[in-house]
Amino acid sequence: MDIMPRWVDIIIVPLLSLFLAAFLSALLIIAIGESPIAALNLMIEGTLLRSAGWGYMLYYTTNFIFTGLAVSVAFHAALFNIGGEGQAMIGGLGVALVCLFIPWPHWTLAIVGASVGAALFGMIWAGLPAYLQAKRGSHIVITTIMFNFIAAGVLNFFLVDVLKPKGSMDPASANFPSTTHLPTFQDLASLFGFEKAFRSAPANVSFFIALLACVAVWYLIWRSPLGYEIRALGKSGPAARYAGVRPVKIIMIAMMISGALCGMMAINTTQGESERLILNFTEGAGFIGIAVALMGRSHPLGVLLAALLFGFLYQGGAELALWTKIPRELIVVIQALVILFTGALSLMVRAPLERFFMSLQKAKE
Amino acid sequence: MIDFLTLLQVLDSSLRLATPLLLVCLAGLFSERAGIFDIGLEGKLLAAAFVSAAFAAITGSVWLGLLAGILASIMLSLLHGLASITLRGDQIISGVAINFLAAGLTVVVAQDLFGQGGRTPPLKSGGRFEPINFPGATSSKGINDAGPLMQLYSELFSGHSLLVYVALLTVPLSWFILYKTRYGLRLRAVGENPAAVDTAGISVVGLRYSAVIIGGVLCGIAGAYIATSLQANFTKDMSAGRGFIALAALIFAKWRPWYALSACLLFGFFFAVDTRFQNILLPAWSLSGFLILIALGLLSYVWRKDYLDKVVLGGLALGISTIAIMIVFSVWNTGASSQIKIPVVFIQSLPYVLTVVVLAGFVGKAIPPRAGGQPYVKER
């Protein structure tokens, strides 16, 4: 553990993994018959050089911050929450119920109400697998996968049989009342006189809630007694138990925080963007949270940076699909490679680095 | 009531839909019995489906397609082995990565090769596994007039593609390998206590690699089946969560081959019912009575348990009884014999709910292989 300096562990290893993933993706792009350099230029042009591009990127980033933080909190307790997708879906249901059935006077109140609804619903959906893990010993990975599918069924039922307005054909809820609509970045920019900035981009004020969530998670994990207990349990179960940590309680709390964060993703997508509840609004963000958490090494700052990167990839991927014959699914491949190199094959990335620093140390002696 | 022929047709399609589940479930069985968790079954299934359809489309030979599909699936198995056996990485994360890799690569390559939005062109007759008709079986035209035994023979037993029979044969074969051979004994031992196997001078790494490769072969056959037999081309994400359902079936079957067969047939039956009947009607009063019974059962279970059990299971009981009361309210005016429509999504979710119930251990606890999920580090 102490062979490498801390900065290598924190900065070089993720960057090297990213570089490997990018290299393999470049080979794939060449195999398709396109130029990787041109593709990268196009991605930068469509994302970073236009304010609307930023608006889309930050919209995706908001989702990935929430799900990335969620996976991170669970990771700290040595739990693998693969059910972010389902928790977000049920969170969306919470948002929809709050927005549709409570007459909110203003969006500032509505966003608080919707956040509570989303967090509560996500919490309940993560709480059941957590309970089964804590009290019955059922493997949390399997139960959360099952709960993803059950959530899809529940969402489908509510959209088709309960929330769908009469006479409507597509499985979606009614539009939320206009008092619950969140201001987008375009609205915010026009307050300051920039009417043309962020035009029609979906990024909205929930981005700032995501940033707040980063700070809150940082405080929770590294500055609060509860976070200490979560990390202690994650590092060594028997030691934590000996020190008086109650595993059942910590597993429940960690998973419910995780579920609440996943659920809150829905204020961005459901209240902020579509302004009604639709099928498939999660678009796999729950799974991308895994890549984001691994890449960001489960630290809120790392998660923020990784979420920005994936936001860039998602918006850039859409640009590629629009202008070249590279399909959007290329991003899924990149995501898989990032998970592979930062998570499963991390020893392959670290071993040569460790050897290098070992030889440096020997040279010093 | 439905007639005998309809029942046979539902069972017939249950068998067809259960076949990929069964093969993937047995793949997971070998892998997990050797101590390697495999979340990546879904990805292997998808990759094999694409590669077999692509090869069958290009070469026109379904056998080459099958072979290529199996090879593709083995490649992913080896990647999983490299990550989780050799490099001792996290098996869950590796599986997640393999699922994404397959989901992304299949579409990217399909789009590049065929340019049809991530599909392969429809397979012609040589590129598909055709149904095998048993001697003497009636054709679909004469089936209505045939006697019940003839209907059973022609509809349920005859007329499946070769791979369905292969899948059914792999069940006794897996049972034999796992329980009647030396290799099987060692394989099971390596999933329970790899250190003991190592002490006996047998290679843990070798055994585990062999298990994931067997899993790769089975997933490959399953992939070829869904792309060249169940359907006649590859479409984006066509595995549709079957890998995860197979994982559920594996837990349902408590990691045993014969149980796996019944679990997969049961789940296949759910899917067949779901595709065959649009409206499933159940008597409303008995249904709500049944739900109330479950709720009461939960409540009596938590009576003397601690606070957390009371909150969670009590809440669950409350939720279930709310549904029961809502059902009663909706049929209050229509009399005692009224029926209520069950939304199809509930039938679709049933395999997952049942698996969670089994995992929870309220009905027959499922205990996984003890060394599952942990990389083996040789003592120095």
Side-chain angles (χ1 to χ4, degrees), chain B residues 26-355:
Chain B
L26 291 172
L29 183 87
F30 274 97
S31 183
E32 300 212 348
R33 269 299 172 102
I36 303 292
F37 277 168
D38 202 347
I39 304 286
L41 292 170
E42 174 81 7
K44 278 183 257 184
L45 180 68
L46 187 65
F50 166 68
V51 173
S52 58
F55 265 73
I58 292 170
T59 62
S61 156
V62 69
W63 291 100
L64 283 177
L66 176 66
L67 197 67
I70 291 175
L71 282 178
S73 170
I74 290 178
M75 296 293 282
L76 288 180
S77 286
L78 289 177
L79 179 63
H80 188 54
L82 176 73
S84 55
I85 304 170
T86 308
L87 292 171
R88 300 191 294 274
D90 189 313
Q91 300 171 4
I92 308 285
I93 296 178
S94 162
V96 170
I98 285 173
N99 285 340
F100 283 127
L101 198 61
L105 267 183
T106 48
V107 178
V108 172
V109 178
Q111 177 64 17
D112 185 46
L113 282 181
F114 304 106
Q116 298 185 355
R119 282 184 294 136
T120 62
L123 297 172
K124 296 188 186 66
S125 66
R128 290 200 308 262
F129 279 106
E130 304 290 349
I132 301 172
N133 285 313
F134 285 6
T138 357
S139 64
S140 51
K141 279 176 208 153
I143 193 108
N144 281 322
D145 309 324
L149 268 180
M150 193 61 194
Q151 285 182 339
L152 183 73
Y153 176 69
S154 322
E155 183 67 36
L156 190 57
F157 294 150
S158 156
H160 294 288
S161 93
L162 177 68
L163 296 183
V164 174
Y165 303 110
V166 169
L168 289 174
L169 283 179
T170 45
V171 179
L173 190 66
S174 306
W175 171 80
F176 183 79
I177 291 175
L178 278 171
Y179 293 96
K180 296 290 157 193
T181 65
R182 193 165 60 177
Y183 170 76
L185 179 67
R186 289 172 173 178
L187 192 78
R188 284 182 292 135
V190 90
E192 300 287 339
N193 191 346
V197 176
D198 202 15
T199 318
I202 305 155
S203 161
V204 174
V205 171
L207 270 171
R208 288 192 161 171
Y209 264 106
S210 72
V212 293
I213 290 172
I214 293 174
V217 173
L218 291 171
C219 278
I221 301 174
Y225 174 75
I226 59 172
T228 64
S229 185
L230 204 57
Q231 287 173 40
N233 68 339
F234 172 86
T235 49
K236 184 182 161 182
D237 290 330
M238 80 181 300
S239 53
R242 284 192 181 91
F244 293 116
I245 299 165
L247 215 53
L250 182 60
I251 295 160
F252 208 69
K254 299 177 188 172
W255 294 269
R256 291 176 199 150
W258 287 105
Y259 286 43
L261 176 63
S262 24
C264 291
L265 285 176
L266 178 69
F267 289 0
F269 177 70
F270 289 147
F271 291 119
V273 167
D274 163 50
T275 39
R276 169 90 196 198
F277 304 105
Q278 283 310 307
N279 294 318
I280 295 155
L281 296 170
L282 285 181
W285 289 98
S286 350
L287 182 66
S288 52
F290 177 67
L291 290 176
I292 298 269
L293 268 182
I294 293 179
L296 285 177
L298 278 172
L299 284 180
S300 68
Y301 174 79
V302 296
W303 194 247
R304 277 150 175 268
K305 296 280 170 177
D306 64 18
Y307 178 69
L308 181 64
D309 291 299
K310 281 186 183 141
V311 171
V312 175
L313 295 179
L316 205 59
L318 191 71
I320 292 173
S321 32
T322 316
I323 297 173
I325 291 168
M326 277 165 69
I327 293 174
V328 170
F329 261 112
S330 67
V331 295
W332 190 254
N333 296 325
T334 42
S337 64
S338 53
Q339 293 185 314
I340 188 151
K341 196 186 108 188
I342 306 296
V344 276
V345 287
F346 285 146
I347 307 292
Q348 285 166 347
S349 303
L350 215 49
Y352 312 112
V353 176
L354 287 178
T355 306

